[in-house]
Amino acid sequence: MTTPTAADPPGIEAIRAFPKVELHVHMEACLSAERIEELAAGFGIPMLRPIESLFVYATLAEFLEVYEWWCDLLRTAEIAEQLAYDAAAQLSADGIVYAEVLCGPRYWPHLRREPLIEALAAGLERAHGDGHADCRLTPSISREQSAEWAMGLVEWLGASGPSRVVGLGLDGNEELLGRTSPKFTEVYARAAELGLGRTAHSGESSGPDGVWDALEHLHLDRVDHGVRSIEDPRLVEHLAANGVTLNVTPTSNVITGLYPDVDHHPVGPLMAAGVPVTINSDDPKAMNVTLSGEFEKVSRSLGWGLGEVAAATRRAIDAAFCDQEKAASLHRQVDDHVRGLTREPAGKDHHP
Ligand code: ADE
Ligand code: ZN
């Protein structure tokens, strides 16, 4: 048996036990293949593919096609409520204590957006009441949707959205849809007036131009992905100088073909350049990813210990859209955990 040293990356159990925060995770991708099969059978709909290959994709476009297929099975408010509950329980089981979960009404054609968001919020509320992670919602516009639709969403969120809604997101395939950020300038300005946090996917299916565009037109608080910023040194400098947080998702970027493996992911170079980066799972069930697993891979690749896991968690808390009181309590939870870790070796001596 070898003795762990400071240079050893933390084991998965130590990472799982760490009170983590996730800012980039999609509700619809928290649905398991087994639950999809069950829903399909219930509605008498044949599976798109055999269950073993359902979650196999080579590109973002293919992933989003399959995503749209299984989302079509999410047909009732009860299914939505249960999915949200199960997602919170699943994130909790991975040691996540706070998450902001994206949900895309465009992917739920059988439900109107208002009852959908209310049902998801109710599921998260019930889960938190049962002791699971405190999960908030970030409704996400799809880039192909109209500005009118998006403005309607934002006005409703401001007037009578559930209190678990904390922000606004934007996602979709920029490679296919082209330059769509300018379309949502007024929508994002209104979201800011209404106190919603602002994030958007860019720099995944778009290059640095997509990130510049999103920053200029949407005045983002943070960016989902943003990894292709690394291709433009001036943009990297801008992100670092302005403290714009990138919510990166290493395995998801490998699966959709952006990078050959996590060792070639730009998370390390972005951090070395001073960009605030958080680690996230993106699509847990649909890409067989957990946040703990992502931290383990990044730790192995970059030589991180639990100190770096703690630092990334603190950056996530600082970039979260919750109120200051909640952020302070999350910081305290991290501090307490870290204090317990440093006390542990001495504590052990006292046990017989
Ligand atoms: N929806 C879910 N995951 C996504 C991703 N990685 N990029 C764009 N849209 C998404
Ligand atoms: Zn995403």
Side-chain angles (χ1 to χ4, degrees):
M1 217 172 80
T2 55
T3 313
T5 67
D8 284 325
I12 190 77
E13 287 309 327
I15 295 173
R16 202 172 287 130
F18 199 94
K20 295 176 294 302
V21 167
E22 164 125 56
L23 301 180
H24 181 174
V25 54
H26 296 263
M27 181 70 80
E28 299 85 6
C30 291
L31 194 68
S32 68
E34 293 69 30
R35 179 76 177 126
I36 290 172
E37 199 172 47
E38 186 180 79
L39 289 168
F43 292 119
I45 291 168
M47 289 289 282
L48 178 70
R49 300 167 172 183
I51 191 164
E52 309 76 50
S53 56
L54 183 63
F55 290 156
V56 178
Y57 347 82
T59 62
L60 179 65
E62 186 186 3
F63 167 67
L64 291 176
E65 267 171 44
V66 182
Y67 196 97
E68 195 163 343
W69 176 81
W70 82 67
C71 286
D72 184 64
L73 300 167
L74 301 169
R75 296 186 173 190
T76 68
E78 291 72 28
I79 291 172
E81 199 268 355
Q82 190 62 47
L83 170 59
Y85 184 97
D86 293 344
Q90 184 186 303
L91 296 175
S92 264
D94 190 39
I96 291 165
V97 294
Y98 176 86
E100 293 175 3
V101 186
L102 295 150
C103 64
R106 128 104 170 79
Y107 289 100
W108 299 70
H110 303 276
L111 288 174
R112 285 187 303 112
R113 66 188 174 209
E114 293 85 358
L116 164 65
I117 291 168
E118 282 164 352
L120 293 172
L124 297 180
E125 194 71 47
R126 181 163 67 90
H128 190 222
D130 283 352
H132 296 304
D134 184 348
C135 295
R136 310 296 171 93
L137 268 183
T138 306
S140 192
I141 306 160
S142 281
R143 284 185 177 271
E144 67 267 39
Q145 290 184 292
S146 71
E148 291 70 32
W149 183 92
M151 190 62 99
L153 169 70
V154 166
E155 291 293 359
W156 175 73
L157 292 175
S160 41
S163 59
R164 282 199 173 264
V165 173
V166 290
L168 180 69
L170 178 63
D171 62 62
N173 190 337
E174 290 177 273
E175 198 177 10
L176 287 181
L177 298 165
R179 197 172 165 241
T180 43
S181 287
K183 178 167 73 168
F184 299 109
T185 301
E186 287 79 26
V187 172
Y188 267 68
R190 184 67 181 134
E193 276 174 13
L194 293 168
L196 293 165
R198 290 157 297 167
T199 187
H201 283 55
S202 69
E204 176 202 33
S205 53
S206 61
D209 287 355
V211 180
W212 279 120
D213 237 15
L215 294 176
E216 181 186 342
H217 294 281
L218 308 178
H219 300 283
L220 301 178
D221 297 305
R222 61 191 202 213
V223 178
D224 292 325
H225 298 295
V227 284
R228 291 194 55 200
S229 303
I230 199 69
E231 296 165 28
D232 178 352
R234 211 168 56 82
L235 177 55
V236 171
E237 217 172 278
H238 176 87
L239 297 170
N242 291 280
V244 180
T245 300
L246 303 185
N247 294 327
V248 310
T249 66
T251 298
S252 163
N253 294 156
V254 171
I255 287 176
T256 58
L258 269 185
Y259 306 106
D261 52 48
V262 171
D263 288 338
H264 290 83
H265 190 276
V267 55
L270 286 164
M271 286 184 62
V275 179
V277 166
T278 70
I279 306 296
N280 301 273
S281 68
D282 205 8
D283 299 296
K285 290 292 183 198
M287 291 190 177
N288 192 25
V289 177
T290 62
L291 182 57
S292 294
E294 292 302 276
F295 270 117
E296 190 190 29
K297 287 181 195 175
V298 171
S299 297
R300 216 179 295 129
S301 179
L302 299 180
W304 282 12
L306 278 182
E308 282 83 5
V309 173
T313 303
R314 291 193 176 102
R315 286 193 295 276
I317 298 169
D318 291 339
F321 295 149
C322 58
D323 60 36
Q324 299 219 330
E325 203 179 314
K326 178 70 196 178
S329 97
L330 289 168
H331 274 299
R332 276 196 301 277
Q333 200 168 348
V334 169
D335 292 345
D336 289 349
H337 189 83
V338 169
R339 216 173 294 119
L341 290 173
T342 48
R343 231 188 267 126
E344 216 164 70
K348 271 186 191 148
D349 291 340
H350 298 297
H351 293 291

